[in-house]
Amino acid sequence: MSFCSDFSGHFALHEREAQARRYLNGLPGTQRRKNMERMDVEQEEGDYQGMQQFIADSPWDHAPLMAQIAREAGGMLGGQRNSALYIDGTSFVKKGGASAGVQRQYCGRPGKIENCQVAVFACLGSGERA
């Protein structure tokens, strides 16, 4: 199974595929804020209006795409009957704003809105091992 699968069949029109590629290429960009406007500025063939339409109004069904991603991830990350990918989001109370991602948001540890960071952890489990 290849790492770079072809997902283009999930987008009915070529323009949607191009906008999806622009959006995904913008995510790891150097801009501090990852909004569509900042991501568009960084790309050579930017099309802010097209990206806005793709994200906000484009009528395509995401379920088949997510199913393909799940199948391929399952094959890469275990593929055994007793294997599973465990994903857990947790939060850390933080004072001050020097750490990345600190903001007032729901924090599970105190059970209220607080200055905190939220992290997501993933672990592959197989049987009794993780």
Side-chain angles (χ1 to χ4, degrees):
M1 179 174 309
S2 90
F3 182 71
C4 295
S5 296
D6 182 19
F7 297 105
S8 61
H10 297 286
F11 305 102
L13 301 172
H14 176 70
E15 295 83 28
R16 289 188 194 141
E17 179 187 354
Q19 292 303 337
R21 287 185 189 281
R22 282 189 192 100
Y23 178 74
L24 293 173
N25 286 336
L27 288 175
T30 60
Q31 297 292 328
R32 183 170 180 250
R33 293 186 166 263
K34 298 293 193 259
N35 60 42
M36 287 185 290
E37 186 176 359
R38 295 290 97 218
M39 290 166 37
D40 184 62
V41 167
E42 221 174 50
Q43 299 192 36
E44 290 179 25
E45 296 180 25
D47 178 11
Y48 176 77
Q49 186 174 358
M51 190 182 298
Q52 169 66 32
Q53 193 278 331
F54 171 73
I55 297 297
D57 303 319
S58 185
W60 62 280
D61 186 8
H62 71 281
L65 174 63
M66 297 304 293
Q68 179 181 346
I69 292 169
R71 279 191 308 275
E72 292 187 18
M76 286 185 209
L77 296 174
Q80 299 175 18
R81 184 178 178 156
N82 64 348
S83 65
L85 179 62
Y86 301 102
I87 300 178
D88 177 50
T90 192
S91 53
F92 306 93
V93 176
K94 293 285 188 174
K95 302 296 179 196
S99 299
V102 173
Q103 61 184 1
R104 288 192 58 76
Q105 55 193 326
Y106 178 78
C107 187
R109 290 187 177 181
K112 62 182 183 177
I113 303 288
E114 186 72 60
N115 266 7
C116 68
Q117 282 180 317
V118 176
V120 177
F121 297 93
C123 176
L124 177 63
S126 181
E128 294 182 16
R129 300 178 69 190

